[in-house]
Amino acid sequence: MSARCQVLGTVPSFGHSVSHSHVRTKRRFDPNIQKKRYWVPSLGRNVTLRVSAKGIKTIDRKGIDVVVAQILARGEKV
């Protein structure tokens, strides 16, 4: 599975690890993806989402119904 947030669309970013001798090697910064289950009253069922920690805060702020409606409007399966 890819490291992608279903709410925000956050994907890994890339950069360098810098050692003590200042040798640079490529590395990948993954978002903090969590598998979380929510009850969605508008659908009348539970949905499991792969969301980042920031995506969880977004759901807390906007509400799960609004977020699921946005995901469905993008054409993603929930």
Side-chain angles (χ1 to χ4, degrees):
M1 274 189 240
S2 63
R4 184 179 176 281
C5 175
Q6 286 184 290
V7 175
L8 301 175
T10 310
V11 293
S13 58
F14 297 89
H16 290 96
S17 290
V18 182
S19 69
H20 178 71
S21 64
H22 215 63
V23 173
R24 294 168 185 228
T25 54
K26 293 295 278 179
R27 66 159 291 183
R28 176 174 150 149
F29 295 93
D30 283 328
N32 184 8
I33 299 292
Q34 310 292 321
K35 205 172 186 182
K36 194 126 169 70
R37 196 169 149 219
Y38 290 98
W39 170 255
V40 184
S42 61
L43 298 178
R45 64 182 175 97
N46 286 312
V47 295
T48 302
L49 298 175
R50 289 177 44 92
V51 293
S52 62
K54 192 170 181 179
I56 292 171
K57 292 176 189 175
T58 302
I59 291 170
D60 290 343
R61 194 169 51 250
K62 290 183 177 180
I64 189 65
D65 284 325
V66 174
V67 172
V68 167
Q70 289 173 347
I71 294 171
L72 294 173
R74 282 197 307 255
E76 286 186 42
K77 195 174 175 186
V78 180

